[in-house]
Amino acid sequence: MTKLFTGLFLLVLSFAAHAQATTDLRSMTVTGGKTLAETTINIGKQFLGKPYVAHTLDTNPGEQLVINLREFDCTTYLETVLALSLAANDLADKQDSTLFDQAFHKYLTKLRYRDGRIDGYASRLHYFSDWLRDNERKGLLSDVTRELAGSLTVAKPVSYMTTATYKYPHLNNPAVFKQIAQTEASLSQQSFSFIPSKNIRLAEAQLQEGDIIMLMAARPGLDMKHVGLAVRQPNGRIHLLHASSDQGEVVITAYPLSDYVLWHKHMSGIRVARLRPIAPLTTASVNGN
């Protein structure tokens, strides 16, 4: 009886969360831009001041799509803004709330999960280098780091999750641990381009508003420390639009990106990606047919 009650209670919570997310989504004013990048920045700025809250994807007993437009960590902020931008870019009629809601759900799932399919905890793209690799393969974005001034090609072993399992209770399951370890092994074998902290100023003129900025971790075993969006300020410099744990909310950095990374010694540089415009969605493709 207790298990039945618990199951029903969790189901009610799930429905309530979905209803809240739908209400929040439909209350938004989605302002498109002339380009996908402009749309991304317009949408991203709508969340300025929203609180930073960690671990919002880990509140359910089973893996499911979590939509929360009221609070973010750096990853959920980025994924939410990108999914909204892709949905807005693809739908001519942005006032069709049902179709827009479906497109947003589809893109968020596609961005967040390997092959765009939810299949347990390990199907979520936990490492951002894995996120980048998978979403580039899916055609949603392009890694442009190698094209930018000051970039270097390196490799970095990844092992953070399996060596810090106390932070990831799901890894107590041997099958999940094995899946994450396999992902780490795969990532550890690949080389990639990045721009060291001291070279970011050299690349700044080539950065574009709406670029996805992934900040590399200086510590061993971890690939990315933080993520956000490039935004050009009135001073002409590129700053970072992001969900900041230090400031506790979504903000634009007070300082240019190059200075921000240099001053954070736990960061070693950046990788950069750009969204690719996708062919317009049809009603059938939104519904997954």
Side-chain angles (χ1 to χ4, degrees):
M1 185 66 181
T2 301
K3 289 183 178 180
L4 177 60
F5 176 79
T6 302
L8 289 172
F9 178 69
L10 292 172
L11 186 61
V12 169
L13 284 180
S14 178
F15 278 125
H18 178 77
Q20 180 64 57
T22 300
T23 300
D24 292 342
L25 181 61
R26 293 182 179 179
S27 67
M28 284 188 63
T29 300
V30 178
T31 305
K34 295 179 181 178
T35 65
L36 179 55
E38 186 177 334
T39 298
T40 301
I41 293 302
N42 288 345
I43 291 174
K45 286 181 176 179
Q46 288 193 49
F47 296 113
L48 285 169
K50 292 291 185 181
Y52 180 98
V53 178
H55 310 302
T56 57
L57 301 186
D58 297 319
T59 57
N60 299 304
E63 190 68 27
Q64 64 186 63
L65 184 67
V66 173
I67 298 173
N68 185 341
L69 304 184
R70 290 164 286 114
E71 53 197 18
F72 304 97
D73 62 23
C74 65
T75 300
T76 59
Y77 171 71
L78 181 68
E79 289 177 335
T80 298
V81 171
L82 296 182
L84 287 168
S85 303
L86 287 165
N89 184 73
D90 287 356
L91 295 176
D93 183 7
K94 297 174 181 59
Q95 304 308 312
D96 187 331
S97 58
T98 299
L99 198 59
F100 185 79
D101 182 65
Q102 291 172 348
F104 169 62
H105 279 67
K106 183 168 184 174
Y107 273 123
L108 188 59
T109 304
K110 197 169 185 179
L111 284 162
R112 185 172 289 168
Y113 291 95
R114 192 178 317 285
D115 300 321
R117 293 186 297 107
I118 302 174
D119 185 21
Y121 181 79
S123 68
R124 198 194 314 164
L125 298 163
H126 298 277
Y127 283 106
F128 225 81
S129 51
D130 193 25
W131 185 97
L132 174 59
R133 178 176 65 178
D134 195 72
N135 281 301
E136 185 168 37
R137 184 181 58 77
K138 287 180 292 201
L140 293 178
L141 49 83
S142 299
D143 182 351
V144 299
T145 313
R146 67 184 69 86
E147 303 168 14
L148 305 178
S151 66
L152 302 175
T153 300
V154 297
K156 183 178 183 180
V158 175
S159 59
Y160 185 76
M161 290 182 70
T162 56
T163 55
T165 53
Y166 65 94
K167 293 185 176 181
Y168 305 99
H170 289 85
L171 269 65
N172 291 328
N173 181 324
V176 174
F177 183 96
K178 181 179 179 180
Q179 288 175 296
I180 297 297
Q182 289 172 339
T183 296
E184 291 177 342
S186 174
L187 294 174
S188 297
Q189 293 170 9
Q190 72 173 18
S191 59
F192 58 88
S193 296
F194 93 113
I195 302 171
S197 302
K198 64 181 181 179
N199 292 351
I200 296 174
R201 188 70 175 92
L202 297 174
E204 185 173 318
Q206 296 170 276
L207 296 177
Q208 300 177 11
E209 277 208 311
D211 279 352
I212 301 162
I213 306 296
M214 296 153 282
L215 296 94
M216 298 286 298
R219 68 179 300 165
L222 183 61
D223 56 347
M224 312 290 187
K225 180 68 177 177
H226 193 52
V227 293
L229 293 164
V231 58
R232 196 172 297 279
Q233 292 295 82
N235 62 7
R237 300 292 304 278
I238 289 290
H239 291 233
L240 189 70
L241 171 59
H242 65 135
S244 169
S245 59
D246 290 340
Q247 295 183 254
E249 62 184 6
V250 176
V251 297
I252 297 174
T253 54
Y255 307 102
L257 174 66
S258 57
D259 295 338
Y260 177 83
V261 180
L262 278 171
W263 291 339
H264 286 78
K265 300 305 180 184
H266 55 283
M267 300 174 184
S268 61
I270 63 171
R271 297 179 70 179
V272 183
R274 287 181 188 143
L275 283 179
R276 293 178 183 171
I278 310 297
L281 291 173
T282 63
T283 302
S285 64
V286 169
N287 291 325
N289 298 323

